[in-house]
Amino acid sequence: MKIPFNKPYFTGMETEYIRQAVASGKISGDGLFTKKCQALLEKNYGFARTLLTTSCTDALEMAAILCDIEPGDEVIAPSYTFVSTVNAFVLRGAKIVFADSEERTPNLDVRRIEALVTPKTKVIIPVHYAGMACDMDPILELAQRRGLVVVEDAAQAIDSSYRGRALGSLGHMAAFSFHETKNVITGEGGMLVVSDPRFEKRAEIIREKGTNRSAFFRGEVDKYGWVDIGSSFLPSDIIAAFLYAQLEHIEEIQKRRKEIWNRYYQGLALLEERGDVLRPVVPSYATNNAHMFYLVCRNLQDRSGLIAHLKEDGILAVFHYLSLHKSPFYQDRHDGRELPNADRYSDCLVRLPMYYELSDDQVAQIIGSVLRFYGVK
Ligand SMILES: *Cc1c(COP(=O)(O)O)cnc(C)c1O
C-alpha cells in the first residue's frame, strides 16, 4: 500500500524522555512524566483533575465503576460508536439503551434522547465523533433535571471544544484515548478526566487496585490498604514519557492535520454539489480538531466501490463502526427500535488517510483518485 490509512508520528523527543524516565530510577505509574502530562493537560484545557490510564477503554471502565452501575441500570449511548463506549458499562451489568445518530453527523441525536430516559437510567454517554462536539448544553440540562451522570467519550476529541469549553471538561467525567490512531499518541494509552469533585478521591482509589496508595504517597494516611474495588488502570511512566513528547508538539500536529482536513474538504466540494457524497458538517457550536476526514456515500455499493478503487490506486481508505444494536453480542438484548441513521453511517461512511506526515502531494493524489471514481477528470 503506497498510502496507509494511518501512520504514527514521532516528534523526535520520545526516546530521550523514555531514557530520562529510566534514568530517574522509577518507571512504574505516577512517576515524573505522568505528573508532567497531567499538569500540562490540566493547564491547557482547564481540566479539573486528570488521571492517565492504560487506555480509553480502561478510563471508561473506571467511569462505569464511579457511576455505581448495578445490574439492570440503564445507560444511553449512541449505537454508532466503538465497542468500549458501552462494553465498559455492560461489564458492570448495565443495559444499554442505544440512541440514533443525527441526520447530518454521527453524534447522538440530542432531541431524541429524553424519550429514552426511564426511572432506571443512570448515565448518558455522548461520543464526540471525529472530535466534533455533541450538542452538550441540552444533554447537561437533561442530566441535571433527571439526576443522570454524563460521561463524555472524548477518545477522539483532544484539543477540541464546545462553545469555547474544552471537550472532556463538560460532563461529570470524560475518557480520552492516546491509541496510535488518535491525534496525540502513546501506542496504547488514555486518560480519565474528573470534573465533578464528588468522584475525585474514589477515582484515584479505583485506579490503584482499590487501595488508597495515592493518598499514602501524598502523606495523607500513614499506611495504605484495600478500601474499594478497582484494578490496575495506571500506565507505566515510560508510556507517559512518550506521551509528554507528543503533548509538547500538539500545536504543530494540530496545525498540519487541519491543513490536510481543509485540503480534503475543499478538494471534494464538487462531489457534494453533484450529490455524490456528503462531507462532514462542523456544527456552529463545535470546533474541528481534524481527527478524521470522512465522506458519506449514497449507499453501501458506492462505498465498497470507492474503497476498492482507492485500493487499486495504492490508497487505504476504511469504513468505521457497525451499529452496535445489530452486533452479534447485542442484537438479542436490544429493544428492537430501528436506528436508521446509525445504520446509514455503518453502510456509507468512509474515512480517508489522515496523519501528520501525509504530504500535500499525497492528499492531492487521494482527492484525484476519489474524483476519478465519480467520473470527474
Ligand atoms: C479509540 C476509541 C476508544 C478506545 O480507545 P482505546 O484507548 O483504544 O481503549 C473508545 N471510544 C472511541 C469513540 C474511540 O474512538
Side-chain angles (χ1 to χ4, degrees), residues 61-112:
E61 287 177 21
M62 287 180 67
I65 298 174
L66 286 167
C67 291
D68 267 326
I69 295 294
E70 285 166 26
D73 286 345
E74 293 178 4
V75 169
I76 297 172
S79 177
Y80 192 73
T81 186
F82 189 60
V83 175
S84 297
T85 309
V86 292
N87 184 70
F89 291 80
V90 169
L91 280 173
R92 311 230 51 87
K95 172 172 181 255
I96 309 301
V97 177
F98 285 112
D100 204 3
S101 299
E102 295 177 309
E103 176 80 28
R104 279 300 274 118
T105 87
N107 285 342
L108 55 72
D109 190 339
V110 172
R111 291 162 306 143
R112 290 199 280 176

Side-chain angles (χ1 to χ4, degrees), residues 5-9 55-57 60 82 84-85 127-131 153-158 175-190 242-243 246 250 253-254 257 289-292 320-321 351 354-356:
F5 172 67
N6 180 57
K7 181 167 182 264
Y9 172 56
S55 64
C56 177
T57 301
L60 288 160
F82 189 60
S84 297
T85 309
V127 180
H128 305 299
Y129 188 79
D153 183 336
Q156 305 171 8
I158 193 78
F176 282 87
S177 175
F178 303 117
H179 183 263
E180 72 168 3
T181 52
K182 306 302 201 272
N183 293 31
V184 168
I185 63 173
T186 182
E188 300 280 354
F242 192 109
L243 181 62
Q246 296 267 316
I250 190 160
I253 291 171
Q254 291 299 87
R257 292 185 75 107
N289 72 347
H291 170 62
M292 181 195 301
H320 209 184
Y321 306 128
R351 298 175 289 161
M354 170 59 83
Y355 51 89
Y356 181 83

